[in-house]
Coordinates of all heavy atoms in Angstrom, one line a residue:
Chain A
A56 N 142.6 222.3 36.6 CA 142.4 223.7 37.0 C 142.7 224.6 35.8 O 141.9 225.5 35.5 CB 143.3 224.1 38.1
V57 N 143.8 224.3 35.0 CA 144.1 225.2 33.9 C 143.0 225.2 32.8 O 142.6 226.2 32.4 CB 145.5 224.7 33.3 CG1 145.7 225.4 31.9 CG2 146.6 225.0 34.2
S58 N 142.5 224.0 32.5 CA 141.5 223.9 31.4 C 140.2 224.5 31.9 O 139.4 225.0 31.1 CB 141.4 222.5 30.8 OG 141.5 221.6 31.9
T59 N 139.9 224.3 33.2 CA 138.6 224.9 33.7 C 138.7 226.4 33.6 O 137.7 227.1 33.2 CB 138.4 224.5 35.1 OG1 138.4 223.1 35.2 CG2 137.0 225.0 35.6
L60 N 139.9 227.0 33.9 CA 140.1 228.4 33.7 C 139.9 228.8 32.3 O 139.3 229.8 32.0 CB 141.5 228.8 34.2 CG 141.6 229.0 35.7 CD1 143.1 229.1 36.1 CD2 140.9 230.3 36.1
Y61 N 140.5 228.0 31.4 CA 140.5 228.4 30.0 C 139.1 228.3 29.3 O 138.7 229.2 28.6 CB 141.5 227.5 29.3 CG 141.8 227.9 27.9 CD1 142.7 228.9 27.6 CD2 141.2 227.2 26.8 CE1 142.9 229.3 26.3 CE2 141.4 227.6 25.5 CZ 142.3 228.7 25.2 OH 142.5 229.1 23.9
F62 N 138.4 227.2 29.6 CA 137.2 226.9 28.9 C 136.0 227.4 29.8 O 134.8 227.3 29.3 CB 137.0 225.4 28.6 CG 138.0 224.9 27.7 CD1 139.0 224.0 28.1 CD2 138.0 225.3 26.3 CE1 139.9 223.5 27.2 CE2 139.0 224.8 25.5 CZ 139.9 223.9 25.9
S63 N 136.2 227.8 31.0 CA 135.1 228.2 31.9 C 134.1 227.0 32.1 O 132.9 227.3 32.2 CB 134.4 229.4 31.5 OG 135.4 230.5 31.4
N64 N 134.5 225.8 31.9 CA 133.6 224.7 32.0 C 134.2 223.6 32.9 O 135.2 222.9 32.5 CB 133.3 224.2 30.6 CG 132.3 223.0 30.6 OD1 132.1 222.4 31.7 ND2 131.7 222.8 29.5
P65 N 133.7 223.4 34.1 CA 134.3 222.4 35.0 C 134.3 220.9 34.5 O 135.2 220.2 34.7 CB 133.5 222.5 36.3 CG 132.2 223.2 35.9 CD 132.5 224.0 34.7
Y66 N 133.2 220.6 33.7 CA 133.1 219.3 33.2 C 134.2 218.9 32.2 O 134.8 217.9 32.3 CB 131.7 219.0 32.5 CG 130.6 219.1 33.5 CD1 129.9 220.3 33.8 CD2 130.2 217.9 34.2 CE1 128.9 220.3 34.7 CE2 129.2 218.0 35.2 CZ 128.5 219.2 35.4 OH 127.5 219.2 36.3
L67 N 134.4 219.9 31.3 CA 135.5 219.7 30.4 C 136.9 219.7 31.1 O 137.7 218.9 30.8 CB 135.5 220.9 29.4 CG 136.3 220.7 28.1 CD1 135.8 219.5 27.4 CD2 136.1 222.0 27.2
G68 N 137.0 220.6 32.1 CA 138.2 220.6 32.9 C 138.4 219.2 33.6 O 139.6 218.7 33.6
F69 N 137.4 218.7 34.1 CA 137.4 217.4 34.8 C 137.9 216.3 33.9 O 138.7 215.5 34.2 CB 136.0 217.1 35.4 CG 136.0 216.1 36.5 CD1 136.7 216.4 37.6 CD2 135.2 215.0 36.4 CE1 136.7 215.5 38.7 CE2 135.2 214.1 37.5 CZ 135.9 214.3 38.6
L70 N 137.3 216.3 32.7 CA 137.7 215.3 31.6 C 139.2 215.4 31.3 O 139.9 214.5 31.2 CB 136.8 215.5 30.4 CG 137.1 214.5 29.3 CD1 136.6 213.1 29.7 CD2 136.4 214.9 28.0
I71 N 139.6 216.7 31.1 CA 141.0 216.9 30.8 C 141.9 216.5 31.9 O 143.0 216.0 31.7 CB 141.2 218.4 30.3 CG1 140.5 218.6 29.0 CG2 142.7 218.7 30.2 CD1 140.5 220.0 28.5
A72 N 141.4 216.7 33.1 CA 142.2 216.2 34.3 C 142.5 214.7 34.2 O 143.6 214.2 34.3 CB 141.5 216.5 35.6
G73 N 141.4 213.9 33.8 CA 141.6 212.5 33.6 C 142.6 212.2 32.4 O 143.4 211.3 32.6
I74 N 142.4 213.0 31.4 CA 143.3 212.7 30.2 C 144.8 213.0 30.5 O 145.7 212.3 30.2 CB 142.8 213.6 29.0 CG1 141.5 213.0 28.5 CG2 143.8 213.5 27.9 CD1 140.8 213.9 27.5
A75 N 145.0 214.1 31.3 CA 146.3 214.4 31.7 C 146.9 213.3 32.6 O 148.1 212.9 32.4 CB 146.3 215.7 32.6
G76 N 146.1 212.7 33.4 CA 146.5 211.5 34.2 C 146.9 210.4 33.3 O 147.9 209.7 33.5
V77 N 146.1 210.1 32.2 CA 146.4 209.1 31.3 C 147.7 209.3 30.6 O 148.6 208.4 30.4 CB 145.3 208.9 30.2 CG1 145.7 207.9 29.1 CG2 144.0 208.5 30.9
M78 N 148.0 210.6 30.2 CA 149.2 210.9 29.5 C 150.4 210.5 30.3 O 151.4 209.9 29.9 CB 149.2 212.4 29.2 CG 148.3 212.9 28.1 SD 148.6 212.0 26.6 CE 147.4 212.6 25.5
L79 N 150.4 210.9 31.6 CA 151.5 210.6 32.5 C 151.6 209.1 32.7 O 152.7 208.5 32.8 CB 151.4 211.4 33.8 CG 152.6 211.3 34.7 CD1 153.8 211.8 34.0 CD2 152.3 212.0 36.0
S80 N 150.4 208.4 32.8 CA 150.4 207.0 33.0 C 151.0 206.3 31.8 O 151.7 205.2 31.9 CB 149.0 206.5 33.3 OG 148.3 206.4 32.1
L81 N 150.9 206.9 30.6 CA 151.5 206.3 29.4 C 153.0 206.3 29.5 O 153.7 205.3 29.2 CB 151.0 207.0 28.1 CG 149.6 206.8 27.7 CD1 149.2 207.6 26.5 CD2 149.3 205.3 27.4
L82 N 153.5 207.4 30.0 CA 154.9 207.5 30.2 C 155.4 206.5 31.2 O 156.4 205.8 31.0 CB 155.2 208.9 30.8 CG 156.6 209.5 30.6 CD1 156.9 209.7 29.1 CD2 156.8 210.8 31.4
F83 N 154.6 206.3 32.3 CA 155.0 205.3 33.3 C 154.9 203.9 32.7 O 155.8 203.0 32.8 CB 154.0 205.4 34.5 CG 154.0 204.2 35.4 CD1 155.1 204.1 36.3 CD2 153.0 203.3 35.4 CE1 155.1 203.1 37.2 CE2 153.0 202.2 36.3 CZ 154.1 202.1 37.2

Side-chain angles (χ1 to χ4, degrees):
Chain A
V57 169
S58 40
T59 305
L60 276 168
Y61 188 79
F62 298 111
S63 304
N64 181 341
Y66 292 92
L67 197 56
F69 202 55
L70 181 69
I71 290 173
I74 292 171
V77 173
M78 290 302 181
L79 188 59
S80 75
L81 288 177
L82 203 66
F83 169 74

